[in-house]
Amino acid sequence: MMNLAAEVSGSLGSIGYGLAAIGPGVGVGIIFGNGTQALARQPEAAGLIRANQILGFAFCEALALIGLVMPFVYGV
């Protein structure tokens, strides 16, 4: 009987990153979707809304970059 885990271990890091990229992708969609709604409701607050969108986007992308690096740090 062959050891199946040894055969797939090379691609587990990329599978892990693919799964980790789902969260930031959803987060960015929620941030910009709600930001668009907020701009439609209160156009006079555009500067504050845009600043908060950029900050939230940066946090979500930081999580995506951490998810990209971790398979290389802990990979086999």
Side-chain angles (χ1 to χ4, degrees), residues 3-71:
N3 189 358
L4 186 60
E7 293 178 17
V8 240
S9 66
S11 63
L12 287 179
S14 58
I15 291 172
Y17 174 66
L19 293 174
I22 293 172
V26 170
V28 167
I30 290 172
I31 287 169
F32 285 109
N34 288 337
T36 303
Q37 287 182 3
L39 284 170
R41 291 173 190 244
Q42 290 185 332
E44 65 274 2
L48 180 64
I49 293 168
R50 190 172 298 118
N52 287 333
Q53 278 183 325
I54 292 171
L55 186 64
F57 176 74
F59 286 143
C60 283
E61 287 302 314
L63 289 175
L65 290 175
I66 289 171
L68 174 66
V69 171
M70 284 305 126

